[in-house]
Amino acid sequence: MSTEILSLSGSDVESLLDLDAAMASQRAAFVALARGAVDLPPKIMHPSRFDDSVVLAYVARVSGRTGAVAKIGSVNPGNAGAGLPTVSAIVVALDPGTGRPVAIVDGVAITTLRTAAASAVAVDALARADAGSLGVLGSGVQGRAHVRAIARVRPLRTVRVWSPTAEHRERAAAELAGELGIDVRAVDGAERAVAGMDIVAACTLSRQPVVRGEWLGPECTVVSVGSFEPGRREVDREVIRRAGAVVVDDPGTAVEHAGPVMDARLGPADLVPLGAVLAGDRSVPSGIVFYNSVGLGVQDAAAAWAVIDAARARR
């Protein structure tokens, strides 16, 4: 038996796991979660007493064929100002039979890909089929990744990008317009990015709402990936009030971590699991839909093993 431990860098992850494969891994993970077929212990998100960082630790196992996966890292909001990813992490995968480490994988690339891919899976399940406009709050790593991923599942014609720093949003818009060949423009206010859009993706670390319910059109699908702990609320209460459905990655996790869900005092019975929608067990009404993702270990496990399998096949 080989005892070699694969070491996979961020560039390895990006070359081995394209968006379509990443989305397939996330879809499978959420369906397995909905069917009770995964190991998912409670995750740790612990705010530091020393600064504004948050330490995180996720552990999960998605199948008998694949071993447990652990991710440890931190969220450092100040990194955004330096043009660095706000999430830093490392992922360790264990052999399903022996428990020995088989791979160490760059956690930044895994987190970026699986988060955007999962949002695209959610948009594909929840948004109108002809949704062609996207408003993005945040022009960093996740904001740009979300535009690329959502463009894979909807015929985007118009994208509006807002973030607090003009230089950052303008650079992101130019990059995405050149890459995707669609109309991507930087705008000078959150409302201008949101109003009239078919889809809205909030990819910030804001503790104050950047998406207000009064701005939303009658059939808008809103995705929030920055509201992953109680003190972070990218959307206001009006978004929750107007939503015909509040969809989450996992109800039990959301009621303990998702800021907008906790602020509205919603319980598990008030929430629709994304996996149940993907499996065809639940449906959502037409109108405004809000999807709040806090991130789950099963997402990292599914993505990590997709990368490991691809690396082994390439070798």
Side-chain angles (χ1 to χ4, degrees), residues 234-271:
E234 294 182 300
V235 308
D236 69 0
R237 293 180 182 178
E238 185 68 3
V239 171
I240 302 290
R241 191 192 69 79
R242 294 189 64 193
V246 177
V247 183
V248 296
D249 34 22
D250 176 62
T253 306
V255 297
E256 294 183 356
H257 291 275
V261 170
M262 298 176 72
D263 182 55
R265 298 184 179 180
L266 301 181
D270 302 312
L271 307 172

Side-chain angles (χ1 to χ4, degrees), residues 6-294:
L6 287 174
S7 179
L8 301 173
S9 67
S11 59
D12 291 331
V13 172
E14 292 167 1
S15 68
L16 291 165
L17 188 66
D18 62 23
L19 266 173
D20 290 335
M23 286 188 284
S25 77
Q26 298 306 290
R27 185 180 298 274
F30 281 116
V31 171
L33 175 64
R35 292 175 175 164
V38 303
D39 292 334
L40 184 63
K43 70 177 190 175
I44 295 172
M45 294 287 295
H46 185 77
S48 173
R49 69 177 64 200
F50 304 110
D51 51 35
D52 65 348
S53 67
V54 179
V55 68
L56 57 89
Y58 300 1
V59 179
R61 186 174 181 182
V62 293
S63 74
R65 184 191 69 81
T66 59
V69 170
K71 179 172 78 173
I72 184 169
S74 68
V75 181
N76 292 71
N79 286 4
L84 299 172
T86 54
V87 176
S88 300
I90 190 167
V91 171
V92 178
L94 308 181
D95 182 88
T98 66
R100 293 172 64 91
V102 296
I104 298 174
V105 189
D106 180 89
V108 175
I110 287 286
T111 302
T112 299
L113 270 171
R114 64 81 153 156
T115 303
S119 291
V121 168
V123 167
D124 197 28
L126 303 173
R128 295 194 338 258
D130 63 347
S133 58
L134 168 66
V136 180
L137 294 307
S139 59
V141 171
Q142 277 297 346
R144 299 194 304 274
H146 272 68
V147 176
R148 297 184 183 103
I150 293 172
R152 300 290 292 179
V153 299
R154 285 298 181 270
L156 296 183
R157 299 177 297 275
T158 301
V159 178
R160 299 291 178 263
V161 179
W162 175 81
S163 64
T165 304
E167 180 184 356
H168 293 174
R169 63 183 182 247
E170 289 166 3
R171 183 187 305 126
E175 174 187 316
L176 292 164
E179 178 181 331
L180 300 175
I182 58 179
D183 176 22
V184 184
R185 300 183 186 180
V187 295
D188 60 5
E191 182 175 1
R192 292 189 62 191
V194 171
M197 295 293 105
D198 298 325
I199 306 164
V200 171
C203 308
T204 76
L205 292 174
S206 180
R207 295 186 179 276
Q208 302 298 325
V210 293
V211 179
R212 299 196 174 277
E214 65 189 73
W215 300 341
L216 303 179
E219 295 184 280
C220 183
T221 300
V222 180
V223 173
S224 170
V225 297
S227 301
F228 55 81
E229 61 173 338
R232 300 190 189 276
R233 299 167 186 172
E234 294 182 300
V235 308
D236 69 0
R237 293 180 182 178
E238 185 68 3
V239 171
I240 302 290
R241 191 192 69 79
R242 294 189 64 193
V246 177
V247 183
V248 296
D249 34 22
D250 176 62
T253 306
V255 297
E256 294 183 356
H257 291 275
V261 170
M262 298 176 72
D263 182 55
R265 298 184 179 180
L266 301 181
D270 302 312
L271 307 172
V272 179
L274 177 60
V277 178
L278 297 174
D281 299 330
R282 295 283 298 270
S283 60
V284 297
S286 59
I288 293 172
V289 177
F290 173 52
Y291 173 59
N292 194 146
S293 171
V294 297

